[in-house]
Every structure is written in structure tokens, then in C-alpha cells.
Amino acid sequence: MAQASDIRARMEVVGSDGMHIGTVDHVDGQRIKLTRQDSNDDRHHYVPLSDVTRVDEHVHVGTTATAMGLVAAAGVTGAVADHGEAPFPPVKNRQVEGARPRGNYYLPWIVALVGLVLLLLLFRSCAGDRDETVAPVAGAETVATAPLGVEEVALPDGRRVSLETAGLNYELQRYLASDEPAPRSFTFDKLNFDTGSAAIRPVDQANISALAQILSAYPAARARVVGYTDARGSSPSNAQLGAQRAASVVAALTARGVDKGRIEAASGGEANPAETNATAQGRFENRRTELVVTAK
């Protein structure tokens, strides 16, 4: 290693490839402090004395300036700048043994981690706001309903129909046969929809058939079918889906002989949930249909 006493101010420091690294300001302990005049950031940089191979009219360093990362004129400065500690813990430059630590090594990793966290939050937000109007898929969220007790009921037109005693059709028939005034709302116990669907499920077709028989037996009755959704998705899309569900029920009733002029469709969207939207069972109950008798 060259003697510090051989190195004087204003001497040029060059690499083994002959490239200019900097100009000596003075020797500071075991390192050479370079002047700021040819530094791209107008700050002092340092070169370890252990890197010096010989001293003549220049101070020669035993490796290339590029390999050392000390080409100040090109703006690549691996030498330690005289402006305090780096904002993140420095690590050794693993490409050159004995090189000075370089700062901000962890900054790209921190930026990448922050970006990943933001991406996950965005993904969760999108997943939480998933529109209920997506097309149903295999394994979609469905909930079965338990069977109810059945009673055979005679209708005013002479026909007889089997009705579940705890269901809407049973209560509707008793209401239409009574003197109780309109309007009155009924919630279907067995007319719910799969996620994102306005199709009447096969298991509910018998319920629709019984309802059509009851409405046909009371020709003075007028009704409105209201379709609802769970709370997932946007309000406009849910309002549209609710209307589609109500229209499906109206179409099924008219196909079974109910006069189209006696029944209308409306949408309740995600409003007035019957149950919580935090569980699969609750969301199933909210994907419901209601019948409002407007006249009798």
C-alpha cells in the first residue's frame, strides 16, 4: 500500500484503465478525500488508501474506475459522499471486494413491498365489491330450504290445491278469502334466486304453479311482484337484477294462465334486506321475491 505521505493535494486519481476518477483534496486518515470540482453532485467523495497501488505524478488505483463504481464524471459514484449517513442501512457492494458500503440498497425492496400491499388491498376491495350480477357458475352460493307441512285447500273456482301451511300461498289464499282490505305484502318462503341469476329454480316451480292457481281463483285480485338482491355489487346493477327477477316471476305466472293486466313487476334491489348480508344464508334470504296485493 502506498504511503499517505506520498499523496499530495491536487494530484489526479486514476484507475488501472487510465480513466480519471477524481482529484486529491487531502488524505483523511485511511482514505483519500477527493475535491468537489469534478464531482457530479458537487460533494466530496473518498477512496480507501488500501485501493492505491502506486504513486508517481498520479495516484493509481489497482482496479478500473468502472469496476470500482467511482467514475465521478459519469455520475456513477460508489465512493462515500460527505453528506452523512444514507437513509437506509448500507451494505457492501458484492461485486468488488473491499468496496465502500453503498446506501439505499433496501429502497427498491421497500418500494416493491409497498406496491404489493397496495395491490392486495385493491384486490380485496374489488373482491368485496363483486357485482351480484355475474353469471352463475358451478358451485355458486346456494342454500336449500326445509320442507313444510302440506294441507289441501278448496278454491272458489272448485279446484283443490295442496299448500304448505307455513308458506306464502297458504297465507295468501286465506287473505284473499277474507274481508281484510288491501294492500298487503307477502314474502315468498320458497322463491329465492341463485347468485347473479334471474332464473326460477326448478325446486320453486311448484310454488309458482300453486300461486297461479290461487290468483286465477280470485280474478278481482291485483298484485305486484317485487324482486330483491343481496348487498354485493353496485346499487344500479342490483336494481336491474331485482327487476329481472320480478319479471321472471310475472312471466311464469302469465304462462300459467294469470291475466297479464292483473300483475306487474317492480324492483327492490338491495334495499330492505330481510337478513344479514354477512352470511351465505342471510344473502340467500335477501335474494328473495315479495308479492304485494294492491286490490282484491
Side-chain angles (χ1 to χ4, degrees):
M1 183 178 69
Q3 297 296 318
S5 58
D6 297 334
I7 301 173
R8 300 180 302 280
R10 314 308 301 172
M11 294 182 70
E12 182 184 16
V13 179
V14 296
S16 61
D17 54 358
M19 292 184 63
H20 174 80
I21 294 175
T23 304
V24 176
D25 186 271
H26 67 275
V27 177
D28 182 7
Q30 294 301 309
R31 57 184 183 170
I32 301 172
K33 182 177 183 180
L34 305 179
T35 63
R36 296 184 299 180
Q37 66 184 22
D38 50 1
S39 169
N40 69 314
D41 57 5
D42 195 34
R43 293 175 177 172
H44 291 288
H45 296 274
Y46 297 87
V47 177
L49 278 175
S50 60
D51 290 346
V52 178
T53 58
R54 74 179 191 277
V55 178
D56 42 34
E57 67 271 20
H58 305 298
V59 178
H60 296 270
V61 179
T63 187
T64 64
T66 301
M68 290 186 66
L70 298 173
V71 186
V76 183
T77 170
V80 179
D82 187 19
H83 51 87
E85 293 295 328
F88 297 99
V91 297
K92 286 287 187 179
N93 184 344
R94 289 176 289 182
Q95 293 182 348
V96 181
E97 184 64 31
R100 299 293 299 179
R102 54 189 175 90
N104 298 346
Y105 179 80
Y106 297 109
L107 181 58
W109 295 99
I110 294 175
V111 172
L113 179 60
V114 171
L116 179 60
V117 171
L118 292 176
L119 184 62
L120 289 175
L121 291 176
L122 177 62
F123 177 78
R124 288 187 60 187
S125 174
C126 292
D129 192 39
R130 184 175 65 85
D131 198 334
E132 203 217 319
T133 59
V134 297
V137 296
E141 180 180 271
T142 58
V143 179
T145 54
L148 304 174
V150 177
E151 180 180 318
E152 190 174 75
V153 177
L155 298 175
D157 59 1
R159 289 185 294 178
R160 305 182 70 85
V161 60
S162 296
L163 302 176
E164 293 177 332
T165 55
L168 174 144
N169 287 332
Y170 186 83
E171 292 298 321
L172 175 64
Q173 190 277 330
R174 293 184 59 184
Y175 165 72
L176 293 177
S178 72
D179 295 330
E180 185 179 343
R184 179 175 169 181
S185 297
F186 298 84
T187 299
F188 286 89
D189 49 289
K190 280 192 174 182
L191 190 50
N192 298 77
F193 294 86
D194 293 333
T195 301
S197 174
I200 298 174
R201 301 178 305 162
V203 69
D204 294 331
Q205 294 293 342
N207 200 23
I208 291 289
S209 297
L211 175 60
Q213 291 184 59
I214 294 170
L215 292 176
S216 297
Y218 294 90
R222 299 290 185 274
R224 178 187 307 115
V225 177
V226 185
Y228 289 88
T229 72
D230 62 36
R232 294 174 298 176
S234 64
S235 294
S237 61
N238 285 339
Q240 182 180 15
L241 179 59
Q244 293 169 349
R245 288 171 173 170
S248 292
V249 176
V250 170
L253 291 172
T254 56
R256 288 167 171 80
V258 179
D259 186 351
K260 186 177 182 179
R262 296 174 51 204
I263 190 166
E264 60 180 325
S267 175
E270 62 192 57
N272 304 317
E275 297 290 343
T276 177
N277 280 291
T279 66
Q281 180 66 44
R283 290 189 294 271
F284 175 78
E285 297 296 338
N286 291 333
R287 297 192 296 272
R288 69 193 189 280
T289 313
E290 292 183 356
L291 181 77
V292 181
V293 177
T294 58
K296 56 181 289 193

